[in-house]
Amino acid sequence: MSASAHHGSADAHEADPVSRALAAAHGILPDQGPIGVFIHHNTLHAFQHLPFHEGVQAGAEVLGARPYLSLREFRAALAVGRVAESDVRHEIGRALGARAHDTVLPGLSRDELWTQLSLTDADSDDAPALAYLLRSGTAAPSRNPAFWAACIERVSRGPRLIPTDTRKRERHRDILMALGHSDTDVAVHGELIRLSSGFLDQGQAQVSAPNREKGFLRAVSAGYADGASPPRACRGVDDDMRTVFSSNESPASVIRRLLTQLGVDGDAVEPFLLATAVALPGWTGMFARLQRHPEEHTDDAAVSLEEFLAV
């Protein structure tokens, strides 16, 4: 194959949001196989090349975790003495280093400015918002208006906020929960874990799951086609799977068809699939690793992350 043909294939791969989501998931998911002997595994291995706080925040953004208390919660801890103001000043001085005592305005050092901006109960970091909070009376009363004015003037000359990626890694389940409905992951993940554990079994089960050599989607759809009952909370999944089985539909086709039915398109595809992959990271991590290392599987089962997402 010519070099230009290879290049065209790579470009097509990069342009396809489903392929991009699968590639991103392979880089993020825990790199673990089915556990024979328990050992600790670093589930943030994809971010361990970064400095600690950068890695924690990058991992939290992708995995939907909460790495720190909010600024309001830290200030509440300060108000009750759980955090001492002297500790705040110490950490600011440590972060600023030699710049701590630089004069930013007459009579105002850099560390004092940082301290006041950190301790003042006004959750904003740009001058217009600080001025609005002061005018509206929602900011904490200032005992030194001249000092407050100096702070506003100083931050007005600071850098602007950089817009972040606004695409939410959100699934339909997240919206349902926000509206007060029950967590659909309880039922869906319960069934996925049952099916995955049988499919990925490495010899511990008394009976081996049938059709493993045909891949996860085919094995699962064949089971339902043979009369397996759906979970009580997932009524209709047996009909869906029988349709997949009878048409011998590919994993890629299932994913694309259901994305359309779910109303997920355009820029929403990649974050939606990535959110789906990391929603059950232990099991998707096993599928991803065994796809990369088929020699670690004990039989001829065809394992792929794409098939897991299709199911």
Side-chain angles (χ1 to χ4, degrees), residues 133-175:
L133 292 172
L134 186 60
R135 289 195 307 271
S136 65
T138 57
S142 174
R143 294 185 296 271
N144 188 336
F147 185 84
W148 180 261
C151 290
I152 294 177
E153 196 280 333
R154 178 66 181 88
V155 297
S156 68
R157 295 186 280 111
R160 299 291 90 189
L161 293 175
I162 299 174
T164 57
D165 185 352
T166 57
R167 297 180 304 173
K168 291 185 177 180
R169 293 186 176 91
E170 191 171 56
R171 298 174 292 139
H172 295 67
R173 167 261 184 189
D174 303 322
I175 300 171

Side-chain angles (χ1 to χ4, degrees), residues 88-119:
V88 176
R89 291 181 178 276
H90 172 79
E91 290 302 319
I92 288 175
R94 191 162 68 93
L96 290 174
R99 301 186 302 145
H101 301 298
D102 291 351
T103 298
V104 293
L105 285 172
L108 179 63
S109 63
R110 190 182 303 277
D111 61 342
E112 185 62 24
L113 173 62
W114 278 43
T115 299
Q116 294 304 320
L117 289 175
S118 298
L119 301 183

Side-chain angles (χ1 to χ4, degrees), residues 259-278:
L259 285 172
T260 299
Q261 292 181 9
L262 290 168
V264 180
D265 56 15
D267 288 342
V269 169
E270 186 178 351
F272 176 85
L273 281 178
L274 189 56
T276 302
V278 301

Side-chain angles (χ1 to χ4, degrees), residues 181-196:
H181 293 275
S182 58
D183 186 355
T184 56
D185 276 354
V186 174
V188 174
H189 285 177
E191 180 71 347
L192 282 173
I193 290 170
R194 183 183 72 83
L195 295 169
S196 299

Side-chain angles (χ1 to χ4, degrees), residues 220-232:
V220 171
S221 61
Y224 282 116
D226 288 340
S229 299
R232 188 173 300 175

Side-chain angles (χ1 to χ4, degrees), residues 199 212-215 294 297-303:
F199 181 79
R212 297 169 74 198
E213 73 284 355
K214 298 178 180 178
H297 218 306
T298 56
D299 54 26
D300 294 329
V303 182

